[in-house]
Amino acid sequence: MNKKILFLILVLASVFVLVGCKKDAPLTIWVGTESVEFYEGVIEDYLAAYETANGEAFPHEILVKGADTGSAAATFLEDTEAGPDIFTVAHDNLGKLIAGSSSIAPVTDADLLAQIENDNPDSFKEVIKGVVGGQTYTFGVPYIAQSLVLYYNKEFITTEQVQTWEGILAAAEAANKQALSLTGTDGFNNSFLLLATNAETGQSSLKLYYGGDINNNFASGDDTVSVMKWGQRFFTHENGPKRPTDSGWQIELKDEISLSVISGAWHYNAASAALGSKLGIVKLPTFTITEADAYGSVTAGTVFQSGTFADTKMFVMKKGSKYQEFLQDIVKYLSSKDVQEASYEEVQNLPAYKNAAVEFESMTGNTLEAQLASAQIEMFEHGIPQPFGFDNRFNFYYYSKGAPDLILEILENKSGTETGLFTSFDQIKAQLLIIENIWKTGNKE
């Protein structure tokens, strides 16, 4: 045989061998960076269970990677082909993921749909759904819950004072400190007054994209006007809230410049590091409307409960994944109530499971972790899920078109005159009407 032909055959054969040996990319799962090690262990358990049930090993490699769950959706959309097969997002990111023809796959497995139905509170069941092509589908599988709570300095604030903002303000006055450090002035971290509810009835006239309707927004009711007026007195008090600064809220807590901060479980470690044994954790305080705040149908003496967004983090699946046939079974395992309980025990992920507070033994006791879980669960009674997953515009209009700044203008009542811009109820209501319009149209007018 001609030596050149033989050489060519050998080269081609080696190429075929290399191509044939090319290893498939692993089935990839993104979870929060703080949870990677835990879910690596969970996947090991899943693989063992799969082999026992099927009599053979799982046919593919599974890789668990850490990702910022706040930006995971945006990162995935930058290159969906290279993106993970299963990943974690906050439910309010659903709109951007299903825009157009959808980049994620709906849940179709009957057993997984039944698990979602049986294990989750009604509020979560609605925000994990979306409409594509005129049809409503379930896209998300809840497995973590989160809400805002109060971290505070027990050395200066008593257990009685911490129940009300008035008590916290009195403690701050006595110590010549600030009552509160804000972690942000955005529409999430500074939402405790906007989302406040009547402490007796649990009701609020506020509507945020109610029913998934962009026109169903309302923020100018008598109760919201009264709450904003009360908040204005709180924010303009010399010992009231402190805007975010370059030093940061952790330093302000540690150096006892401020006595409390509103945040979620994601800041637990930082709050603990700042206050150590002085750290207390409770649900957000109440406050009472005075004669100076009472407007319309709201009377002096009405007590309001600070509000929160009570959200879920959920697993979603890449549409068109080459591992599609396996994804729903894996997600069903990862989101099961037993794994949720273990996740809480090991990495303090608050379960989305609706009966966790009474069924999970690990959530009882007086540890700080148990107090954090208890405070979050209590706040779920006074919160709403972020209602932004139905349409990609909702999140953008609420957070990024200037409405949070307009709310802060009311609360801080700053202007170049002695009377201020928002001294009267009419001025406050006019500003709230502008905010409503931004939520509906993205514009002030």
Side-chain angles (χ1 to χ4, degrees):
M1 181 180 292
N2 185 290
K3 289 183 178 179
K4 290 185 177 179
I5 294 176
L6 179 61
F7 177 75
L8 181 60
I9 291 172
L10 291 173
V11 169
L12 289 173
S14 66
V15 170
F16 290 143
V17 169
L18 288 171
V19 171
C21 290
K22 183 179 180 182
K23 191 175 182 181
D24 285 343
L27 188 163
T28 304
I29 302 171
W30 283 359
V31 297
T33 52
E34 73 286 347
S35 303
V36 172
E37 186 176 350
F38 170 76
Y39 284 102
E40 285 176 337
V42 171
I43 287 298
E44 288 181 8
D45 294 341
Y46 173 80
L47 293 175
Y50 180 94
E51 186 168 358
T52 299
N54 294 276
E56 59 182 11
F58 189 78
H60 305 287
E61 178 188 0
I62 300 179
L63 176 65
V64 178
K65 296 183 67 175
D68 175 13
T69 55
S71 58
T75 303
F76 172 77
L77 290 172
E78 289 174 3
D79 188 353
T80 57
E81 184 64 28
D85 302 283
I86 297 168
F87 58 106
T88 302
V89 294
H91 74 265
D92 59 301
N93 283 277
L94 183 58
K96 66 179 72 173
L97 290 168
I98 65 173
S101 60
S102 180
S103 299
I104 56 175
V107 177
T108 57
D109 180 82
D111 289 340
L112 180 52
L113 286 169
Q115 179 176 296
I116 293 169
E117 177 64 28
N118 294 333
D119 288 0
N120 290 282
D122 291 340
S123 59
F124 285 178
K125 295 176 191 176
E126 292 306 310
V127 296
I128 59 176
K129 296 177 181 178
V131 178
V132 175
Q135 181 70 38
T136 300
Y137 299 96
T138 295
F139 286 98
V141 184
Y143 76 108
I144 293 175
Q146 59 186 24
S147 64
L148 295 172
V149 297
L150 190 77
Y151 299 111
Y152 74 100
N153 190 325
K154 295 191 296 185
E155 190 170 282
F156 292 93
I157 305 173
T158 68
T159 54
E160 182 178 355
Q161 287 175 319
V162 80
Q163 296 177 38
T164 69
W165 284 118
E166 289 87 354
I168 294 172
L169 187 59
E173 281 187 279
N176 195 26
K177 312 286 185 183
Q178 301 304 130
L180 171 73
S181 275
L182 296 175
T183 62
T185 58
D186 56 90
F188 182 89
N189 290 293
N190 191 31
S191 61
F192 69 105
L193 293 177
L194 177 68
L195 301 178
T197 56
N198 184 298
E200 182 178 354
T201 67
Q203 300 299 309
S204 168
S205 68
L206 179 77
K207 285 185 171 60
L208 266 178
Y209 303 103
Y210 190 76
D213 185 348
I214 198 168
N215 293 307
N216 206 348
N217 287 291
F218 182 70
S220 53
D222 292 356
D223 52 352
T224 306
V225 173
S226 293
V227 166
M228 288 294 137
K229 186 65 174 176
W230 181 94
Q232 186 180 94
R233 291 193 302 104
F234 181 49
F235 269 69
T236 57
H237 193 285
E238 63 179 354
N239 298 104
K242 187 176 181 61
R243 259 179 176 258
T245 63
D246 291 340
S247 62
W249 63 268
Q250 301 99 316
I251 298 298
E252 291 163 4
L253 280 188
K254 182 179 180 181
D255 292 348
E256 298 178 346
I257 296 168
S258 298
L259 300 184
S260 70
V261 66
I262 296 171
S263 192
W266 52 93
H267 279 156
Y268 166 70
N269 288 334
S272 182
L275 290 178
S277 62
K278 295 181 287 187
L279 175 63
I281 308 172
V282 293
K283 74 173 187 177
L284 298 185
T286 63
F287 56 95
T288 302
I289 298 299
T290 70
E291 290 287 354
D293 317 314
Y295 175 76
S297 60
V298 179
T299 58
T302 303
V303 179
F304 281 86
Q305 168 64 53
S306 299
T308 183
F309 283 121
D311 296 328
T312 184
K313 291 182 181 180
M314 59 189 189
F315 285 120
V316 294
M317 302 170 291
K318 177 166 69 176
K319 182 180 178 182
S321 166
K322 63 182 178 181
Y323 301 116
Q324 195 70 51
E325 63 181 297
F326 304 103
L327 300 187
Q328 295 189 78
D329 189 60
I330 293 171
V331 168
K332 182 170 63 177
Y333 187 86
L334 294 177
S335 62
S336 65
K337 64 180 182 181
D338 289 340
V339 173
Q340 286 189 45
E341 181 174 16
S343 177
Y344 168 72
E345 291 175 349
E346 295 195 28
V347 285
Q348 282 74 61
N349 285 326
L350 186 71
Y353 178 57
K354 65 182 181 181
N355 295 326
V358 293
E359 292 185 18
F360 293 177
E361 185 177 346
S362 54
M363 297 189 72
T364 62
N366 198 37
T367 65
L368 280 173
E369 291 79 9
Q371 290 175 35
L372 174 59
S374 177
Q376 288 184 90
I377 290 169
E378 284 187 77
M379 283 309 302
F380 266 76
E381 299 176 15
H382 309 293
I384 60 170
Q386 292 182 77
F388 310 128
F390 298 97
D391 187 309
N392 197 26
R393 293 172 295 175
F394 296 177
N395 187 297
F396 185 52
Y397 288 177
Y398 177 81
Y399 285 111
S400 304
K401 300 299 286 186
D405 292 335
L406 299 188
I407 291 174
L408 196 62
E409 285 181 4
I410 296 174
L411 297 175
E412 293 188 332
N413 199 24
K414 288 185 176 178
S415 75
T417 68
E418 291 183 2
T419 57
L421 288 171
F422 307 103
T423 302
S424 73
F425 291 117
D426 288 343
Q427 289 167 324
I428 292 173
K429 187 163 186 171
Q431 183 89 324
L432 291 172
L433 289 168
I434 294 172
I435 291 166
E436 285 178 18
N437 207 59
I438 291 174
W439 292 346
K440 294 175 185 178
T441 68
N443 299 300
K444 290 185 176 181
E445 299 176 357

